Amino acid sequence: MKLTILGTGNAMVTECYNTCFALSEGSRHFLVDTGGGNRILKVLKDAKISVEDIHDVFITHEHIDHLLGVVWLIRAAATKMNQGKYEGQMRIYCHRGLVETIRTIANLTLQKKMTKHFEEEIVFVPLESGEKMEILGYPVTFFDIYSTKAKQFGFTMELSDHKKFTCVGDEPYNEADYEFVKGSTWLMHEAFCLFGEAEEFKPYEKHHSTVKEACETAEELKIPNLILYHTEEKNLKNRKKLYTEEGKAYYHGNLYVPYDLETFHI
Ligand SMILES: [Zn+2]
C-alpha cells in the first residue's frame, strides 16, 4: 500500500495545500479529504493520480479546508464520465449529515450535465460510527472523533500482515475511540505547531494540538509510526527538522513530518 500525502497544511495555508492524502493499491486510489478547492486537481496531477482511477473518496467533515475540493473532484470525474473515460462508480463516503451538504453545494455550483451522475455513477455512502466498509480490498472502519466543533469521522484500515493504518481527522485523538485506534501501526495525527510556539499559534483555542501532545499520544498508544500533518506554515523549509527535533523528546517510534507530495510504503 502506498500513501501519498497530497497536502499537509491547516485551513489558511497558501504555500502548501490543505491536509489530504491518498492510499493507493496499484492503480486504484482511496482519497481522504480534498482540501479547499481547485488545487486538488494540481496535487493529484503532480502525484500522478488520475481522476478516473479514484473510485473511493472519504470526507472527514464539513470544514472548508477538507470539503470544497470535492466539488472540483466531482466536476473532473463527471467530465470524464461524459467523455466515456471513467468506468464504474465514484463512491463518496461521509457521515450521514454531510451528504446533503455536499450534494447541495455541488448542485448550486455545477452544471446539470455534471450532477446528473449523482445516484448512478457518483454515489454518496452515508456512514454511521463503527460502520465497516471494504475499500481497495481491505476492511475499513469509520468512527466518530467526537469533535465539539463539527461532526467529524476518522477511520482505521486493516492492512495485510496485521498492519493497521489509522487517521483521527484534524483534531486530537479522543480516548473514546481507543477500541478503534488500539493496535495501529500507523497513525496520522494533526499537529498545529510546535509546543514551543503555542503562544504564537494558539492551537488549543482551535481544538488542535502541538507536536508534543501528538507525540505523547502516539507514545502512550505504542504506535510505531506517526505522521504529523495539518500544520501552520511559517517556516515550511525547516518544519520537518524543527518538528522532528521537538517530537523526539516525547516519542520513540518513527516520526514523520512530510512535505506535500511525499510518499510512504505502509
Ligand atoms: Zn482542518
Side-chain angles (χ1 to χ4, degrees):
M1 180 74 74
K2 182 180 170 186
L3 166 67
T4 304
I5 308 294
L6 297 166
T8 54
N10 69 30
M12 291 300 282
V13 294
T14 54
E15 301 303 317
C16 58
Y17 193 44
N18 309 127
T19 290
C20 53
F21 60 89
L23 289 161
S24 309
E25 182 85 343
S27 62
R28 294 189 304 151
H29 309 284
F30 173 34
L31 181 61
V32 179
D33 281 338
T34 51
N38 171 282
R39 189 163 160 180
I40 186 64
L41 303 181
K42 166 69 173 157
V43 294
L44 288 172
K45 189 167 149 190
D46 289 343
K48 298 188 168 49
I49 296 175
S50 303
V51 169
E52 56 264 44
D53 295 326
I54 303 172
H55 292 281
D56 298 283
V57 182
F58 169 50
I59 303 295
T60 57
H61 65 302
E62 69 197 25
H63 286 159
I64 189 169
D65 53 321
H66 300 261
L67 177 99
L68 283 189
V70 80
V71 182
W72 289 95
L73 191 74
I74 291 167
R75 183 180 166 143
T79 301
K80 298 270 180 193
M81 287 166 188
N82 290 341
Q83 295 166 340
K85 291 180 184 164
Y86 190 107
E87 281 175 33
Q89 279 184 331
M90 174 176 272
R91 292 169 289 275
I92 301 173
Y93 307 84
C94 57
H95 68 75
R96 193 165 286 280
L98 207 47
V99 172
E100 215 34 57
T101 304
I102 298 173
R103 209 199 312 256
T104 302
I105 296 171
N107 279 328
L108 288 171
T109 55
L110 297 174
Q111 293 181 54
K112 193 102 192 88
K113 66 179 179 187
M114 310 292 176
T115 54
K116 70 176 184 193
H117 296 286
F118 284 168
E119 320 315 332
E120 296 196 4
E121 294 96 337
I122 301 174
V123 295
F124 293 94
V125 184
L127 302 166
E128 301 296 339
S129 189
E131 195 161 351
K132 277 187 168 34
M133 295 280 161
E134 193 180 289
I135 298 177
L136 304 180
Y138 298 97
V140 173
T141 308
F142 294 93
F143 55 85
D144 196 330
I145 70 155
Y146 303 106
S147 168
T148 51
K149 295 190 296 189
K151 195 177 183 70
Q152 180 169 175
F153 276 21
F155 73 95
T156 182
M157 185 179 225
E158 291 164 57
L159 304 168
S160 44
D161 304 325
H162 305 288
K163 285 184 287 185
K164 185 171 156 170
F165 175 91
T166 302
C167 159
V168 292
D170 79 343
E171 291 193 25
Y173 158 74
N174 189 318
E175 281 174 14
D177 288 318
Y178 178 71
E179 284 306 310
F180 299 113
V181 178
K182 69 176 181 188
S184 295
T185 44
W186 289 86
L187 178 66
M188 310 265 316
H189 196 287
E190 58 91 28
F192 199 79
C193 62
L194 295 167
F195 179 68
E197 293 183 335
E199 278 293 304
E200 181 179 350
F201 293 105
K202 307 197 178 344
Y204 309 119
E205 63 189 49
K206 296 183 270 280
H207 209 234
H208 289 310
S209 41
T210 70
V211 171
K212 172 180 182 275
E213 288 103 25
C215 286
E216 285 171 341
T217 294
E219 181 81 4
E220 202 179 309
L221 291 167
K222 299 185 174 61
I223 296 175
N225 300 285
L226 172 64
I227 298 176
L228 300 181
Y229 63 9
H230 205 276
T231 78
E232 50 78 30
E233 62 169 357
K234 183 180 81 171
N235 191 351
L236 268 189
K237 203 160 65 86
N238 295 312
R239 181 180 62 179
K240 188 186 284 281
K241 182 172 159 277
L242 296 171
Y243 281 35
T244 307
E245 273 169 14
E246 180 177 289
K248 270 190 195 158
Y250 306 99
Y251 175 64
H252 298 90
N254 303 310
L255 176 59
Y256 302 99
V257 185
Y259 294 107
D260 286 17
L261 299 175
E262 219 173 304
T263 60
F264 297 84
H265 286 280
I266 59 169

